[in-house]
Amino acid sequence: MSKSTSVNPDLQREREKCTFNITELTNLLDGGPHMTEERKRREVMVLNEGIHIEEVPSEYLSHKEKYELAVKKACLMFKLIRRLQEEENAGMESFRAFLGGTLGSAILQDGSPLTLHYVMFIPTLMGQATVEQQAYWIGRAFNLDIIGTYAQTELGHGTFIRGLETTATYDAKTKEFVLHSPTLTAYKWWPGGLAHSANYCIVMAQLYTNGQCHGIHPFIVQLRDEETHMPLKGIKVGEIGAKLGMNGTNNGFLGFEHVRIPREHMLMKNSQVLEDGTYVKSPSSKLTYGTMMFVRVVIVKDMCNYIAKAVTIATRYSAVRRQSQPKPDEPEPQILDYLTQQHKLMVGISTAHAFQLSAEWIWNMYNNVTAELDAGDLERLPELHALSCCLKAITTGDAAECVERCRLACGGHGYMLSSNLPHTYGLVTAACTYEGENTVLLLQTARYLVKTWQQAQGGNSLPPTVAYLSRVGAGRRVPPWDNSIEGIIHGFQQVAAGKIALCVANIEKRQKSGMAYEDAWNMTSVQLAQASEAHCRAFILSSYFEETERQVKGVSPALREVLLQLVDLYVVYWALQRIGDLLRFTSISERDIEKLQHWYEELLTKLRPNAVGLVDAFDLRDEILHSTLGAYDGRVYERLMEEALKSPLNAEPVNQSFHKYLKPFMQGKL
Amino acid sequence: MSKSTSVNPDLQREREKCTFNITELTNLLDGGPHMTEERKRREVMVLNEGIHIEEVPSEYLSHKEKYELAVKKACLMFKLIRRLQEEENAGMESFRAFLGGTLGSAILQDGSPLTLHYVMFIPTLMGQATVEQQAYWIGRAFNLDIIGTYAQTELGHGTFIRGLETTATYDAKTKEFVLHSPTLTAYKWWPGGLAHSANYCIVMAQLYTNGQCHGIHPFIVQLRDEETHMPLKGIKVGEIGAKLGMNGTNNGFLGFEHVRIPREHMLMKNSQVLEDGTYVKSPSSKLTYGTMMFVRVVIVKDMCNYIAKAVTIATRYSAVRRQSQPKPDEPEPQILDYLTQQHKLMVGISTAHAFQLSAEWIWNMYNNVTAELDAGDLERLPELHALSCCLKAITTGDAAECVERCRLACGGHGYMLSSNLPHTYGLVTAACTYEGENTVLLLQTARYLVKTWQQAQGGNSLPPTVAYLSRVGAGRRVPPWDNSIEGIIHGFQQVAAGKIALCVANIEKRQKSGMAYEDAWNMTSVQLAQASEAHCRAFILSSYFEETERQVKGVSPALREVLLQLVDLYVVYWALQRIGDLLRFTSISERDIEKLQHWYEELLTKLRPNAVGLVDAFDLRDEILHSTLGAYDGRVYERLMEEALKSPLNAEPVNQSFHKYLKPFMQGKL
């Protein structure tokens, strides 16, 4: 590590004035010193392989070259994973960092064509294949005899799964399913690795037996010849084209022209089709929600990484960059000294902490609920589902905003791809749409909240994450405002309850005026989405606060002070963002608001000296940050120039287009 | 025009139910039927040339190929402009649409390497060169004997112009200036066309004569040999690398190693250096603000175009896309029927109108002030400057939000480059940073507002755009809330006044507690930026309302109704977005808020049937939209597939990387 040599003096000074032990915070974020050590060991091991090093930065390549580079890197990366698994006798889980996490994105910055093989194909086999099917397929998949992906979304249907059009019709005579795409919109569209990489695929299709439709079921389908990789007969497969980001993921389309597969290729752990075509229903259709929820929880964890990355880049840059001269006799200040800049960055730092703790909270809940599920208890499933929906929506939305704010906080240089901020935004904003479009998800949570609200009105007791709704029911006296962290969190719960109550009242009023329930719901849906957001804000604020209170019991006083300041900052920031809601649904006063504003400004000033220490504690290596603006040593301008010189356009002093177009044009001869 | 053949039936139905005459609105937006005709004529003429047609869509090209294509297209486009100018004997102005406007971006979607020659190089010569200099240079520039650009921003300094480091030192012995880049951060960085396209450049540099620095002045410098295009001795020039967008603009860096230019190459209309090195100051340093303000006003107009484009694409897509099934017995609704979708789109439509009218307003003000300037009257310059600063910041920020909301409203398909929404966002978000970083601009306006507030307290009369500050001064009785459009606009003025007053009080309080004014300002700067935003919102709302009131006097009743609904929607939308502010600074009540919410929902429902008609009225041709999702005929899915098939990856069924990497990897032989 060359961390000690020639660090920018401004950054050096920032580190010297940091009031807490950076390593202590890193250990806390990792889950203990041994976890930090393990992570660092793995990072060194992987990065020593040099797979991440690019001769020409990939942003200069053509679309096709980008894909070819991605295949090369993905193969080398998964080869390495396989080697490490064998050496360490470890399972897949310990290498999650390669896939969606920081280390994987350091190697495959623009996405990997093989990721879905590991995160969707194999897990779906594990979750939905029978024991016999697993015995056959999982071994082949693990050994990479086959490479698979998972195809659900179609050109015409995304979030609304019931609307999928691909059909799988059972033919009892041949004991086969016939897969077919009856329309253009039935084409599968988006699955990663589908275009040119996978040769097998799990396809979600409408199951028909004996002339009856039984809804969406999973089928395993061979797409390409295992030897030649040529698409099989009746398989129309290709890539969907260039995207805002993730151009290494090889997203594909897939159409079927009456493609026949054996009956055994339907994944039958849950529902079955017998040889004669008899359909045997799954004991609970809710079981299939498992994978989807798992993925959503993983997304929340990924958002923490992206925010940490962006805010590390922007904060270090802000310590190096000097601009303007507010006082005539003093040098230009670091832009980190401007309160407006602190305002853009600090909330990013605290958001990374808040989401990490919220992710851990829901991760634990997920594991508990899964254990209950295995024991046949489905009671907390709707609550988990509702929470995972709004949490996915809010964390991806907030993360996109945080990353974009960080990029803009770096001014023009943030617009350079070499800053790595545009790339990071591309990855984060994709998450606002995939695995459930955010507005749709918020409305799913809202549906649960409305139902729960009505239960609470009926005097029923409520599950933990919505228990506050019976405490702060509508119509009760609004308690006096308490201008403390607990008071604000309680205020947010009042806001959520107030908004839900208002929605329920609006829907009822509209129904009374003659509207159908669905229309009344639709007319109220802008408010419903906002109520859902308010519920999620209350959850994040309170879980962040409570988990931090628990966590700081085991840390040094210096670190405790900073962690609590971060919680304060986050909570006060959101109070100020939602002053209108607080004014409507709590008894907060103008004096309270002005105090909050001053509290916020004081917190920024208090956190200012620790800004660089706080982002250092995320401990993201330069190879992971991959940014001219964010490297540990702060050689911002040198790196910008070094990266510029790598542009193939700079390899020649005069580009051929001068002779071909520009000169003839100037001479009037074009 | 194939507008009538095979239009998607849903889109067709939308057009049939439109309640107003679409052509009437188009004419109104263009400024009259003859203007519409003229625009259409020019579009046909230009697009018939086919310069915009790409064999392979440019998103599949390498960075270098993109540049080469951009040079080719730019040369052909400007050749065409020259031809048209000669044919029609028209000036540059009538072809502005080619440069920043819709037609230019249809041809050069990713920016042009020659634009700055026309929008900065020639105008700067016209504004800052002496008559003799103009006689020599402008002819050469117009004839394209030389191609120029304008270099101000440096690696280390952007918005803070005083901090620029490039020096131009006069050598009286040889009557030359010596241009030099004393540091790495002194390198010019960003100018469009600088990298490999321009051979001349106007360079802004710190002028030194007789050992004294006189600040930033413009110099014309030859960069490359006119014949060979090779960089001249001492000139370090190249491109800065790949960016989030605008990769056709060929942004460059430029460093000088003691480069000598004749004394006559300083542009001396305003300030001069005599032969002996005597510096003669400009009569007013404010004169040079002209170009900068002109560019800002142009930016506001451009934002209208981008918003219109994005909202046309997203609205048409939303009429074609059907999803989900809220009522079991009915077909899937068009997503445009969801109130949440209307919420995302309608405000975009009204924003395009609001910004167009605000742009016209400030355009007129700019022309008036320029006329006064020419008559030596500088009085309204600070007001214009303050308004142009916040208007640039708010319109670019809002436009970025609008475009991104439109992109996300198209779900996954909005993430495809073929939707053209990511590209559009790349262009719009760039405007948040260039020509003055938005936060810095808001604080410049705030400085003016604080000063004006203090003048008002002293009883002085105020210029028109801030006159409301003396009407609704702080400390006065808050008038009863009026839940009408005028009432809301008045409420926004109260908010702006209240925020400015609070900022002034905070700064004074901090000064009294011992802080320097600059520190007190900084500590209050988050609030100051918000006050500045509030002022700008009040301006946009009132100018949109007043201009529409004026405008609708001349239109049919059917169109009048829709235009007024759009104003209502815009004003009520912003009231609901800023409920916290209204609750703090006006006497609005909870009942008023609930009424506003219902009013808003009703307005969405009323405007819903005219949504497609409203975006059709922007009359953006398919070639300009350049979008799979937004074309006039609504063949969304067909176009998505057609575009996907253009990907070079789809030209071969098996990519070479299968044989090279994937197969060896699967066989354990990699």
Side-chain angles (χ1 to χ4, degrees):
Chain A
M1 301 250 259
S2 61
K3 281 194 174 183
S4 56
T5 58
S6 74
V7 168
N8 172 290
D10 282 326
L11 263 186
Q12 191 56 47
R13 212 171 303 122
E14 295 294 332
R15 284 166 185 142
E16 282 159 13
K17 72 184 173 195
C18 179
T19 63
F20 65 94
N21 182 321
I22 293 172
T23 307
E24 188 187 357
L25 178 51
T26 302
N27 292 338
L28 187 73
L29 290 167
D30 279 322
H34 60 291
M35 297 289 273
T36 300
E37 210 174 291
E38 172 60 21
R39 174 178 57 74
K40 282 175 172 289
R41 195 182 58 80
R42 205 182 303 144
E43 284 170 0
V44 169
M45 199 158 54
V46 170
L47 293 170
N48 275 350
E49 300 283 319
I51 306 171
H52 63 287
I53 297 167
E54 294 173 346
E55 281 171 67
V56 177
S58 58
E59 58 250 40
Y60 296 115
L61 304 182
S62 73
H63 185 69
K64 191 170 167 184
E65 289 166 333
K66 279 180 194 164
Y67 168 63
E68 290 163 357
L69 179 65
V71 172
K72 177 183 167 185
K73 283 180 165 189
C75 288
L76 292 172
M77 186 172 86
F78 284 108
K79 183 185 157 196
L80 175 64
I81 295 180
R82 197 154 51 170
R83 202 189 79 203
L84 297 177
Q85 280 177 315
E86 284 163 11
E87 283 173 14
E88 307 190 5
N89 201 17
M92 204 60 213
E93 180 51 31
S94 66
F95 292 97
R96 224 193 58 76
F98 284 110
L99 300 166
T102 50
L103 202 44
S105 70
I107 294 172
L108 283 142
Q109 289 124 26
D110 217 14
S112 154
L114 302 185
T115 296
L116 286 205
H117 178 73
Y118 291 95
V119 303
M120 286 302 291
F121 186 67
I122 294 178
T124 306
L125 288 172
M126 302 209 285
Q128 306 208 36
T130 62
V131 175
E132 299 79 42
Q133 286 175 325
Q134 289 193 23
Y136 180 74
W137 291 108
I138 291 184
R140 297 198 76 205
F142 256 120
N143 291 335
L144 295 162
D145 296 335
I146 60 176
I147 288 183
T149 184
Y150 176 90
Q152 177 173 302
T153 299
E154 295 173 356
L155 194 43
H157 285 90
T159 303
F160 180 59
I161 298 167
R162 274 195 291 129
L164 294 176
E165 295 176 84
T166 304
T167 55
T169 310
Y170 186 63
D171 180 349
K173 280 190 287 244
T174 61
K175 295 171 191 159
E176 288 172 321
F177 289 102
V178 182
L179 283 156
H180 190 58
S181 313
T183 59
L184 172 62
T185 48
Y187 269 58
K188 297 295 174 187
W189 192 271
W190 278 115
L194 175 63
H196 299 91
S197 313
N199 55 8
Y200 278 78
C201 183
I202 290 167
V203 174
M204 300 304 284
Q206 300 283 2
L207 168 63
Y208 283 84
T209 67
N210 301 326
Q212 248 205 308
C213 181
H214 299 284
I216 292 300
H217 289 73
F219 302 84
I220 185 161
V221 186
Q222 184 175 356
L223 305 178
R224 291 172 177 269
D225 184 89
E226 290 187 26
E227 277 304 309
T228 66
H229 213 57
M230 283 295 286
L232 299 186
K233 194 167 157 275
I235 302 280
K236 306 284 155 193
V237 68
E239 81 135 356
I240 61 171
K243 293 146 294 168
L244 197 165
M246 305 183 81
N247 282 298
T249 50
N250 201 223
N251 301 86
F253 64 77
L254 171 63
F256 299 103
E257 287 181 351
H258 305 289
V259 172
R260 290 181 165 264
I261 58 169
R263 186 183 68 93
E264 295 76 21
H265 281 205
M266 173 174 158
L267 300 184
M268 298 211 204
K269 182 176 173 184
N270 298 319
S271 301
Q272 296 166 49
V273 172
L274 305 183
E275 285 200 1
D276 66 352
T278 307
Y279 178 72
V280 184
K281 216 187 151 184
S282 158
S284 164
S285 64
K286 285 180 181 169
L287 283 175
T288 51
Y289 280 115
T291 316
M292 196 171 71
M293 273 197 286
F294 172 79
V295 173
R296 280 190 197 147
V297 173
V298 169
I299 289 173
V300 181
K301 291 198 158 195
D302 287 342
M303 291 305 117
C304 302
N305 292 332
Y306 291 126
I307 296 170
K309 201 184 221 178
V311 82
T312 300
I313 294 167
T315 303
R316 287 183 182 160
Y317 175 71
S318 301
V320 172
R321 177 79 166 180
R322 289 177 170 273
Q323 198 80 180
S324 202
Q325 202 175 15
K327 295 183 184 172
D329 304 327
E330 293 184 16
E332 296 184 58
Q334 295 162 282
I335 59 173
L336 191 50
D337 284 334
Y338 292 108
L339 199 86
T340 47
Q341 190 76 354
Q342 297 159 18
H343 176 57
K344 292 174 192 176
L345 301 177
M346 294 299 183
V347 67
I349 297 174
S350 62
T351 303
H353 286 255
F355 287 2
Q356 164 137 348
L357 293 175
S358 301
E360 277 169 26
W361 201 100
I362 198 173
W363 190 258
N364 291 335
M365 178 176 172
Y366 170 76
N367 287 324
N368 293 338
V369 173
T370 309
E372 290 168 18
L373 264 181
D374 292 342
D377 179 2
L378 305 181
E379 202 192 313
R380 290 196 73 190
L381 205 55
E383 183 198 2
L384 174 62
H385 180 249
L387 190 60
S388 80
C389 284
C390 68
L391 200 61
K392 184 271 183 187
I394 297 302
T395 55
T396 55
D398 283 6
E401 212 175 283
C402 269
V403 170
E404 198 60 349
R405 188 165 41 215
C406 286
R407 182 180 70 71
L408 288 163
C410 295
H413 297 332
Y415 197 73
M416 304 290 310
L417 292 191
S418 73
S419 74
N420 203 20
L421 292 167
H423 253 117
T424 306
Y425 180 68
L427 295 170
V428 172
T429 189
C432 293
T433 307
Y434 63 59
E435 299 298 330
E437 194 278 327
N438 280 354
T439 303
V440 175
L441 291 184
L442 287 176
L443 291 176
Q444 287 187 14
T445 302
R447 213 168 274 283
Y448 174 79
L449 293 173
V450 165
K451 206 187 285 175
T452 305
W453 179 258
Q454 286 159 338
Q455 281 170 356
Q457 299 303 94
N460 299 42
S461 77
L462 301 180
T465 59
V466 283
Y468 72 89
L469 291 180
S470 41
R471 273 206 315 278
V472 292
R476 314 243 170 109
R477 196 181 60 83
V478 176
W481 177 256
D482 163 15
N483 223 8
S484 69
I485 296 303
E486 292 94 329
I488 295 169
I489 292 171
H490 193 74
F492 269 85
Q493 294 175 339
Q494 282 172 259
V495 168
K499 291 200 164 193
I500 297 164
L502 211 50
C503 286
V504 171
N506 276 322
I507 293 171
E508 285 170 359
K509 207 165 122 190
R510 286 181 160 132
Q511 279 186 283
K512 266 180 207 149
S513 79
M515 261 189 208
Y517 182 77
E518 295 82 0
D519 297 323
W521 174 273
N522 186 33
M523 278 302 287
T524 316
S525 58
V526 170
Q527 294 182 63
L528 283 161
Q530 288 165 354
S532 186
E533 194 217 320
H535 165 69
C536 194
R537 296 264 167 239
F539 166 76
I540 296 171
L541 292 179
S542 76
S543 60
Y544 179 29
F545 171 67
E546 283 166 22
E547 292 297 300
T548 304
E549 287 274 292
R550 197 184 47 69
Q551 202 177 46
V552 295
K553 284 178 187 141
V555 307
S556 67
L559 181 56
R560 181 183 310 146
E561 188 180 5
V562 177
L563 290 178
L564 293 175
Q565 283 169 352
L566 280 179
V567 174
D568 290 359
L569 181 92
Y570 190 75
V571 175
V572 176
Y573 172 87
W574 278 105
L576 290 168
Q577 290 294 110
R578 291 293 180 269
I579 279 302
D581 291 338
L582 294 173
L583 281 166
R584 289 179 69 187
F585 299 105
T586 77
S587 55
I588 195 170
S589 70
E590 172 63 18
R591 235 181 96 81
D592 296 321
I593 295 168
E594 288 174 25
K595 275 188 196 158
L596 286 178
Q597 182 69 41
H598 284 240
W599 189 3
Y600 180 70
E601 289 157 354
E602 294 300 324
L603 281 166
L604 289 178
T605 309
K606 278 183 194 155
L607 282 161
R608 160 69 188 85
N610 285 321
V612 168
L614 282 165
V615 300
D616 280 356
F618 293 129
D619 200 26
L620 296 165
R621 289 177 58 115
D622 285 352
E623 295 91 340
I624 289 167
L625 293 172
H626 199 248
S627 169
T628 44
L629 307 184
Y632 188 85
D633 63 12
R635 287 177 62 253
V636 166
Y637 300 113
E638 295 85 347
R639 271 202 181 75
L640 277 167
M641 185 56 90
E642 286 158 14
E643 281 300 310
L645 293 177
K646 289 182 191 166
S647 165
L649 268 176
N650 287 328
E652 303 154 316
V654 179
N655 181 268
Q656 53 156 325
S657 62
F658 171 71
H659 302 291
K660 219 163 153 187
Y661 305 113
L662 202 52
K663 195 171 182 182
F665 167 61
M666 292 169 72
Q667 296 175 338
K669 292 178 187 165
L670 187 73
Chain B
M1 300 250 259
S2 61
K3 279 195 173 181
S4 58
T5 61
S6 77
V7 168
N8 174 290
D10 282 326
L11 263 187
Q12 191 56 48
R13 212 171 304 121
E14 296 293 334
R15 284 166 184 144
E16 282 157 14
K17 71 183 176 198
C18 180
T19 64
F20 64 94
N21 183 319
I22 293 172
T23 308
E24 188 188 358
L25 179 51
T26 302
N27 292 339
L28 187 71
L29 290 168
D30 279 321
H34 60 291
M35 296 290 274
T36 300
E37 210 176 290
E38 171 61 20
R39 173 178 59 75
K40 281 175 174 289
R41 196 182 60 80
R42 203 181 305 144
E43 284 171 358
V44 169
M45 197 158 57
V46 169
L47 293 169
N48 275 351
E49 301 284 319
I51 306 172
H52 64 289
I53 297 166
E54 295 174 346
E55 282 173 67
V56 176
S58 59
E59 58 250 42
Y60 296 115
L61 303 181
S62 72
H63 184 71
K64 191 171 165 181
E65 289 166 335
K66 280 179 195 165
Y67 168 62
E68 289 163 358
L69 179 64
V71 172
K72 179 183 167 184
K73 283 180 164 189
C75 288
L76 291 172
M77 184 172 89
F78 284 108
K79 184 185 157 196
L80 174 64
I81 295 181
R82 198 154 48 170
R83 203 189 79 205
L84 297 177
Q85 280 178 315
E86 284 163 12
E87 282 173 17
E88 308 190 2
N89 199 16
M92 206 57 215
E93 180 51 32
S94 67
F95 293 96
R96 222 192 62 76
F98 285 110
L99 300 166
T102 51
L103 201 46
S105 70
I107 294 172
L108 283 144
Q109 290 124 25
D110 218 14
S112 153
L114 302 186
T115 297
L116 287 204
H117 177 72
Y118 292 95
V119 302
M120 286 301 293
F121 185 67
I122 293 177
T124 306
L125 287 173
M126 301 208 286
Q128 306 207 34
T130 61
V131 175
E132 299 80 42
Q133 288 174 322
Q134 289 193 22
Y136 181 73
W137 290 108
I138 291 184
R140 298 199 74 203
F142 257 118
N143 290 337
L144 295 161
D145 297 334
I146 62 173
I147 289 184
T149 184
Y150 176 89
Q152 177 173 302
T153 300
E154 295 173 357
L155 194 44
H157 285 90
T159 303
F160 180 58
I161 299 167
R162 273 196 291 131
L164 295 176
E165 296 176 83
T166 303
T167 54
T169 310
Y170 186 64
D171 180 349
K173 277 189 289 252
T174 61
K175 294 170 194 159
E176 289 172 321
F177 291 101
V178 183
L179 282 156
H180 189 59
S181 314
T183 60
L184 173 60
T185 48
Y187 269 59
K188 297 295 173 185
W189 191 271
W190 280 115
L194 174 63
H196 298 92
S197 312
N199 56 6
Y200 277 79
C201 183
I202 290 168
V203 173
M204 300 303 284
Q206 301 283 2
L207 167 65
Y208 283 85
T209 64
N210 299 328
Q212 247 203 310
C213 181
H214 299 283
I216 294 299
H217 289 75
F219 302 85
I220 186 159
V221 185
Q222 182 175 358
L223 305 177
R224 291 172 177 271
D225 183 89
E226 290 187 25
E227 277 304 309
T228 66
H229 213 54
M230 284 293 288
L232 299 186
K233 193 166 157 274
I235 302 281
K236 305 286 156 192
V237 68
E239 81 135 356
I240 61 170
K243 293 146 293 169
L244 198 165
M246 306 183 79
N247 283 296
T249 49
N250 200 224
N251 302 87
F253 64 76
L254 172 63
F256 299 102
E257 288 180 350
H258 304 288
V259 172
R260 289 182 166 262
I261 57 170
R263 187 183 68 95
E264 294 75 23
H265 281 205
M266 173 174 158
L267 300 185
M268 297 209 204
K269 181 177 174 184
N270 298 318
S271 301
Q272 297 166 49
V273 171
L274 307 182
E275 285 199 3
D276 67 350
T278 306
Y279 178 71
V280 183
K281 218 185 152 186
S282 156
S284 165
S285 64
K286 283 178 182 171
L287 283 175
T288 52
Y289 279 116
T291 316
M292 194 170 74
M293 274 196 287
F294 173 79
V295 172
R296 280 190 197 147
V297 173
V298 170
I299 289 174
V300 181
K301 292 198 158 195
D302 287 343
M303 292 304 116
C304 302
N305 291 333
Y306 291 127
I307 295 170
K309 200 183 221 177
V311 82
T312 300
I313 295 168
T315 302
R316 288 185 181 157
Y317 175 72
S318 300
V320 172
R321 178 80 167 178
R322 290 177 169 273
Q323 199 78 179
S324 201
Q325 202 174 17
K327 295 182 184 174
D329 304 327
E330 292 185 15
E332 297 184 56
Q334 294 163 281
I335 60 174
L336 191 50
D337 284 334
Y338 293 108
L339 199 86
T340 48
Q341 191 76 355
Q342 296 159 18
H343 175 56
K344 291 174 193 177
L345 301 177
M346 294 299 183
V347 66
I349 297 174
S350 62
T351 303
H353 287 254
F355 287 3
Q356 164 137 349
L357 293 176
S358 300
E360 278 170 26
W361 201 100
I362 198 174
W363 190 260
N364 291 335
M365 177 173 171
Y366 169 76
N367 286 324
N368 292 340
V369 174
T370 308
E372 289 169 18
L373 265 181
D374 292 343
D377 179 2
L378 305 180
E379 201 191 316
R380 288 196 72 188
L381 204 57
E383 183 197 3
L384 173 63
H385 180 250
L387 189 60
S388 80
C389 284
C390 68
L391 199 61
K392 184 272 182 183
I394 297 303
T395 54
T396 56
D398 283 7
E401 214 176 281
C402 269
V403 171
E404 197 62 350
R405 188 163 44 215
C406 286
R407 183 180 70 72
L408 288 163
C410 295
H413 296 332
Y415 197 70
M416 304 290 308
L417 292 192
S418 73
S419 74
N420 204 18
L421 292 166
H423 252 116
T424 307
Y425 181 68
L427 295 172
V428 171
T429 189
C432 294
T433 307
Y434 64 59
E435 299 299 330
E437 195 277 330
N438 279 354
T439 303
V440 175
L441 291 185
L442 287 176
L443 290 177
Q444 286 186 15
T445 303
R447 212 169 276 281
Y448 173 79
L449 293 173
V450 165
K451 207 188 285 177
T452 306
W453 180 258
Q454 286 160 338
Q455 281 170 355
Q457 299 303 94
N460 299 42
S461 76
L462 301 180
T465 60
V466 283
Y468 73 87
L469 290 180
S470 40
R471 272 205 314 280
V472 293
R476 316 245 168 107
R477 199 182 58 84
V478 177
W481 177 256
D482 164 14
N483 223 7
S484 69
I485 297 301
E486 291 94 329
I488 295 169
I489 292 170
H490 192 74
F492 268 86
Q493 294 174 339
Q494 280 173 262
V495 168
K499 290 200 166 193
I500 297 164
L502 211 50
C503 285
V504 171
N506 276 321
I507 293 171
E508 284 171 359
K509 207 165 123 189
R510 284 179 161 131
Q511 278 186 285
K512 266 182 205 148
S513 79
M515 263 190 208
Y517 182 77
E518 295 83 0
D519 297 323
W521 175 273
N522 186 33
M523 278 302 287
T524 315
S525 58
V526 170
Q527 294 182 62
L528 284 160
Q530 289 164 354
S532 185
E533 194 216 319
H535 164 70
C536 194
R537 296 263 168 239
F539 167 75
I540 295 171
L541 292 179
S542 75
S543 60
Y544 179 28
F545 171 68
E546 284 165 21
E547 292 297 299
T548 305
E549 289 274 291
R550 196 184 46 74
Q551 203 175 46
V552 295
K553 284 178 186 142
V555 307
S556 69
L559 180 57
R560 182 182 310 145
E561 188 180 8
V562 177
L563 290 178
L564 292 175
Q565 283 169 353
L566 280 179
V567 174
D568 289 359
L569 182 93
Y570 190 75
V571 174
V572 176
Y573 172 88
W574 277 106
L576 290 168
Q577 290 293 110
R578 292 292 181 272
I579 278 301
D581 291 338
L582 293 174
L583 281 165
R584 288 179 70 186
F585 299 105
T586 77
S587 54
I588 195 170
S589 72
E590 173 62 20
R591 236 179 96 80
D592 297 322
I593 295 168
E594 289 174 25
K595 275 189 195 158
L596 286 178
Q597 182 69 40
H598 285 242
W599 189 4
Y600 180 69
E601 290 157 353
E602 295 300 325
L603 281 167
L604 289 178
T605 308
K606 279 183 196 157
L607 282 162
R608 160 69 188 84
N610 285 321
V612 169
L614 282 165
V615 299
D616 280 356
F618 292 129
D619 200 27
L620 297 165
R621 290 176 59 114
D622 286 353
E623 295 91 337
I624 288 168
L625 293 172
H626 200 249
S627 168
T628 45
L629 308 184
Y632 187 86
D633 63 13
R635 287 176 65 252
V636 166
Y637 299 114
E638 294 84 348
R639 271 204 181 73
L640 277 167
M641 184 59 89
E642 287 158 13
E643 280 301 309
L645 294 176
K646 289 183 192 165
S647 166
L649 267 174
N650 287 328
E652 305 154 315
V654 178
N655 181 269
Q656 54 155 326
S657 61
F658 171 71
H659 301 291
K660 217 164 154 187
Y661 306 113
L662 201 53
K663 194 170 184 184
F665 166 62
M666 292 168 71
Q667 296 175 338
K669 290 178 187 165
L670 186 71

